[in-house]
């Protein structure tokens, strides 16, 4: 679906977000920084879905917030149709935000407990009344509830009266309210059972076809990411380890982290539990406040050599595959990128 | 992952001994402005020591509410338990005094919550909250409690635990907060852990580590585990037996191996069919049609009937009982044979 002759709708360049680590109560002294996102670049094309996967804490949600300008980037740029949104504020930012919406990870804290579901979903219309005139709102909100598979009669209920999965759908309905061009979904289906997940994903794909929406789809479930994504980026400790089409990443991963990740996917088949060949990563996930030198994955990588601790591997088509017509020739940030047979279910 | 060994062999004899936990005919309802929402409508399940019971089911089907009832942390009101028993080591917890229950909660039964962020106190450091377990229950000093907290954070693989022990919950990622919750539940080495989607927020490598860790502790302490999850992959990996819920009832129970091969309830079947598969990329995913039931007006007969491809007249009038559908198997469907046989 992605057509590289098109202009990207979002272009992310060297995006960095460091959270200061401070000490002291009265006189806060900065003693370091959590390098949550540390130099990330990628493009999102109109009508495509870019999946983002990666270890918990690797910076996915922070990337999402930076794309919405909900967090101030430490450095780097996010171009929306050529305009750097990290530098926008006020009215210009508001105009862009109408077109980039987010569905949040945590369905518990992202919904105001004192607002009814109708008010929560209708809230974006207060900021952008041009989308739904006052008289139409109730009807529009009910349509949105129906679209995400919630009973339209639930309009006057409060978030605590819904289950986790039901609340996630409320968040999706709100994300859809303004008919945006880009929706950034931070684990939109993680809280859902597989059948509701299927409904939501089918719905998202249908809306994408209908309105040409672009999605950034962050999730842990690798099989659902593969299902919905045209391209997939794999993050590790604030950096992009590997990026490519879904087939390139899932069938021809060349980065050891991606290979380990795919091998760990639990298979929905109890007969397989004894025969699975899992790459067990040893070592702890390093702290993003003090990431390893060179390649960030090297402390857990079974292929690491001297060079890995000295030289940061760049995200590029590995030289061994460069110029070749093979699905392994996609961007991978590893000095020793190679294909490996991995047992995977996704 | 080889987790079953002990649990599986222990199960047959364990059937004679009293289960660690047994829920009998539990009902929970909520009084709302619009009427009475019947969230749990006669749940029965049990767990032996050393055994893992996976609870699957539709979102909103009452999995968490059942767990909250077991823990004694339901909001009452608006919640109410009009009927049922929750036997822990043979004693009905619903009949106990508040004092007796508090002694069990946290120490003997611990819970890992679905919503990690809202169950951690935002204004206290995670180290303090972890340490509190040891200060309150074991009377440790502040310093000793903090050392224990660091050890636990290490155990659930929070990087640089010693440096981050004084950080506040919002400074951790979603998955890290989840691991902190796991650490808290494990702190006092309970007999039973109820884990409500403990790995939903984790990536698969950490998920594998966390599940291995839970399995290891389970073996070490012969702990019972109730695992509430949507992840059919995780269930296949670690569960001994499965209970599937729909509209506040158990609609199917079975040993793990059988349910995947041949589900005996149309809801379970639909669930398994909805798993995304490689060969269906680009196509629509299978999804059970229709909306989840409105708990204020649960359909008569079988609650699943408006969405069920097998439904006949009897399904709209008669509530199906849990039929025995094989050794250790039950299905609450009038047409369980046909479902199995298809
Ligand atoms: N406000 C903050 N202050 C300090 N550190 C933060 C803050 N927000 C996030 N972090 C840190 O930044 C890192 C990345 O966090 P982020 O939430 O982006 O991870 P994630 O990839 O979304 O993880 P998960 O999969 O668990 O949701 C983590 O180490 C986290 O502790
Ligand atoms: N305080 C409450 N007031 C009214 N209804 C409630 C309350 N708490 C829960 N419910 C209802 O009880 C039902 C069961 O909720 P529960 O949280 O147990 O679902 P669940 O099976 O855990 O779903 P999920 O998989 O989405 O977490 C839901 O329909 C929910 O709306
Ligand atoms: S560069 Fe080295 S450490 Fe990094 S992933 Fe490749 S082999 Fe491993
Ligand atoms: Mg996140
Ligand atoms: Mg729940």
């Amino acid at each position: 679906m992605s057509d590289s002759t098109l202009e990207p709708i979002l272009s992310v360049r060297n995006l960095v977000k460091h959270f200061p680590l401070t000490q002291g109560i009265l006189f806060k002294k900065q003693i370091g920084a959590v390098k949550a996102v540390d130099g990330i670049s990628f493009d999102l094309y109109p009508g495509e879905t870019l999946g983002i996967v990666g270890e918990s804490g690797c910076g996915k949600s922070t990337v999402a917030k930076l794309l919405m300008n909900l967090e101030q980037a430490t450095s780097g740029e996010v171009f929306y149709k050529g305009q750097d949104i990290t530098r926008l504020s006020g009215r210009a930012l508001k105009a862009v935000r109408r077109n980039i919406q987010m569905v949040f990870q945590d369905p518990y804290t992202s919904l105001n407990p004192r607002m009814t579901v109708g008010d929560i979903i209708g809230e974006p219309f207060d900021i952008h009344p041009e989308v739904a005139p006052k008289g139409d709102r109730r009807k529009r909100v009910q349509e949105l509830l129906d679209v995400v598979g919630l009973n339209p009669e639930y309009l006057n209920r409060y978030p605590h009266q819904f289950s986790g999965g039901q609340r996630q759908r409320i968040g999706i309905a709100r994300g859809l309210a303004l008919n945006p061009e880009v929706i950034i979904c931070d684990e939109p289906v993680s809280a859902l059972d597989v059948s509701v997940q299927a409904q939501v994903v089918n719905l998202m794909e249908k809306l994408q076809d209908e309105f040409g929406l672009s999605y950034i789809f962050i999730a842990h479930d690798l099989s659902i990411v593969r299902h919905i994504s045209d391209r997939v980026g794999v993050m590790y400790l604030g950096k992009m380890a590997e990026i490519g089409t879904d087939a390139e990443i899932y069938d021809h991963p060349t980065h050891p982290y991606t290979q380990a990740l795919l091998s760990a996917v639990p298979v929905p088949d109890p007969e397989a539990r004894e025969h699975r060949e899992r790459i067990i990563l040893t070592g702890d996930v390093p702290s993003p406040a003090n990431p390893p030198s060179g390649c960030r994955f090297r402390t857990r990588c079974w292929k690491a050599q001297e060079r890995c601790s000295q030289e940061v591997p760049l995200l590029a088509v590995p030289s061994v595959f460069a110029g070749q017509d093979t699905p392994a020739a996609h961007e991978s940030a590893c000095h020793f990128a190679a294909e490996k047979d991995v047992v995977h279910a996704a | 992952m080889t987790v079953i060994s002990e649990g599986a062999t222990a199960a047959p004899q364990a059937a004679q001994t009293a289960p660690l936990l047994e829920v009998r005919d539990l009902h929970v309802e909520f009084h709302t402005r619009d009427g009475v929402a019947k969230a749990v409508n006669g749940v029965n399940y049990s767990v032996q020591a050393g055994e893992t019971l996976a609870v699957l089911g539709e979102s909103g089907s009452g999995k968490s509410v059942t767990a909250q009832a077991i823990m004694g942390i339901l909001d009452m009101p608006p919640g109410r338990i009009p009927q049922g028993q929750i036997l822990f080591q043979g004693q009905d917890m619903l009949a106990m005094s508040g004092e007796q229950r508090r002694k069990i909660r946290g120490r003997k039964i611990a819970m890992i919550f679905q919503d990690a962020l809202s169950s951690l106190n935002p204004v206290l450091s995670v180290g303090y909250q972890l340490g509190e377990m040891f200060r309150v229950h074991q009377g440790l000093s502040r310093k000793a409690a903090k050392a224990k907290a660091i050890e636990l954070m290490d155990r659930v693989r929070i990087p640089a635990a010693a440096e981050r022990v004084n950080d506040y919950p919002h400074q951790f990622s979603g998955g890290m907060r989840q691991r902190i919750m796991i650490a808290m539940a494990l702190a006092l080495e309970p007999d039973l852990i109820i884990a409500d989607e403990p790995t939903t927020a984790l990536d698969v490598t950490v998920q594998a580590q966390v599940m291995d860790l839970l399995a290891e502790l389970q073996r070490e302490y012969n702990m019972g585990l109730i695992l509430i999850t949507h992840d059919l992959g995780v269930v296949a990996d670690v569960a001994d037996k499965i209970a599937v819920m729909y509209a506040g009832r158990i609609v199917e129970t079975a040993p793990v191996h059988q349910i995947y091969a041949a589900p005996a309830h149309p809801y379970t079947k639909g669930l398994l069919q909805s798993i995304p598969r490689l060969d269906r990329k680009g196509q629509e995913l299978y999804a059970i049609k229709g909306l989840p039931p409105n708990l204020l007006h649960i359909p008569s007969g079988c609650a699943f009937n408006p969405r069920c491809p097998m439904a006949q007249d009897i399904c709209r009038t008669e509530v199906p009982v849990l039929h025995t559908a094989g050794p250790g198997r039950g299905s609450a469907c009038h047409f369980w044979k046909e479902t199995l046989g298809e």
Side-chain angles (χ1 to χ4, degrees), chain A residues 255-257 295-299 301-305 308 313 333-337:
Chain A
H255 196 289
Y257 175 62
C295 174
R296 296 190 171 196
F297 185 57
R298 70 177 165 84
T299 52
C301 181
W302 65 97
K303 286 165 99 179
Q305 306 279 326
C308 303
C334 172
H335 295 306
F336 301 102

Side-chain angles (χ1 to χ4, degrees), chain B residues 220-243:
Chain B
E220 204 173 314
Y221 303 116
N222 202 27
M223 224 164 53
L225 176 63
I226 298 178
L227 180 67
I228 301 172
T229 180
H230 290 306
D231 191 325
L232 294 157
V234 169
V235 172
D237 252 1
V238 305
D240 297 313
K241 60 185 191 188
I242 297 182

Side-chain angles (χ1 to χ4, degrees), chain A residues 17-21 33-37 52-65 71 105 186-187 218-220 235 237-238 286-289, chain B residues 159 164 167-179 200-203:
Chain A
K17 177 69 192 179
H18 290 181
F19 292 102
L21 275 173
V34 174
K35 295 171 182 143
V37 175
I52 296 185
V53 300
E55 199 132 40
S56 142
C58 72
K60 303 179 297 296
S61 297
T62 307
V63 167
K65 287 179 198 148
E71 290 278 9
Q105 172 171 7
D186 193 358
E187 313 211 17
I218 299 171
H220 284 118
M235 281 183 69
L237 262 191
S287 158
Chain B
R164 299 205 70 177
D167 283 358
Y168 293 87
H170 76 273
Q171 293 172 300
F172 292 87
S173 77
M176 289 164 132
R177 290 194 292 258
Q178 196 61 38
R179 277 176 276 163
T200 305
L202 306 180
D203 77 280

